[in-house]
Amino acid sequence: FRRVLFRSNGFNAGQPNASYDWRNPDNGHRGSFRVGDYYNDPDGFRCATYSQVIYINNRPEETRGRACQQPDGTWAIVN
């Protein structure tokens, strides 16, 4: 839950190419999250690219994708 909330806050900041570091004190997991470029998709949703590195047991796992802001203001990963 914390990671999802953190991502949403990163998207809502509206700053392209901004990076955010995070750490979960409950389990020691940590990582970084980077918002890429914002754009409007063909259906009119505000979207952004992102990349994320999560360290679990000091091993990095990287993901990349796109997220779009939903009508209720939340952000949903779309790929």
Side-chain angles (χ1 to χ4, degrees), residues 19 51 61:
S19 293
S51 61
E61 295 182 25

Side-chain angles (χ1 to χ4, degrees), residues 38-53:
Y38 288 89
Y39 63 95
N40 289 324
D41 78 357
D43 295 322
F45 287 95
R46 181 175 187 233
C47 300
T49 59
Y50 73 91
S51 61
Q52 173 171 253
V53 177

Side-chain angles (χ1 to χ4, degrees), residues 4 16 18 22-23 27 33 45 51 54:
V4 172
W22 60 270
R23 178 178 296 276
N27 59 21
F33 172 73
F45 287 95
S51 61
I54 300 170

Side-chain angles (χ1 to χ4, degrees), residues 8-34:
S8 293
N9 290 341
F11 287 126
N12 287 333
Q15 297 179 358
N17 300 310
S19 293
Y20 305 91
D21 293 329
W22 60 270
R23 178 178 296 276
N24 184 329
D26 296 334
N27 59 21
H29 296 172
R30 62 185 172 87
S32 62
F33 172 73
R34 182 181 167 276

Side-chain angles (χ1 to χ4, degrees), residues 1 4-5 9 11-12 15-16 26 31 33 35 37 47 54-55 58-59 63 65-66 69 74-75 78:
F1 174 73
V4 172
L5 179 61
N9 290 341
F11 287 126
N12 287 333
Q15 297 179 358
D26 296 334
F33 172 73
V35 178
D37 294 321
C47 300
I54 300 170
Y55 292 88
N58 288 322
R59 293 190 354 229
T63 59
R66 297 178 301 125
Q69 192 170 28
T74 60
W75 287 81
V78 293

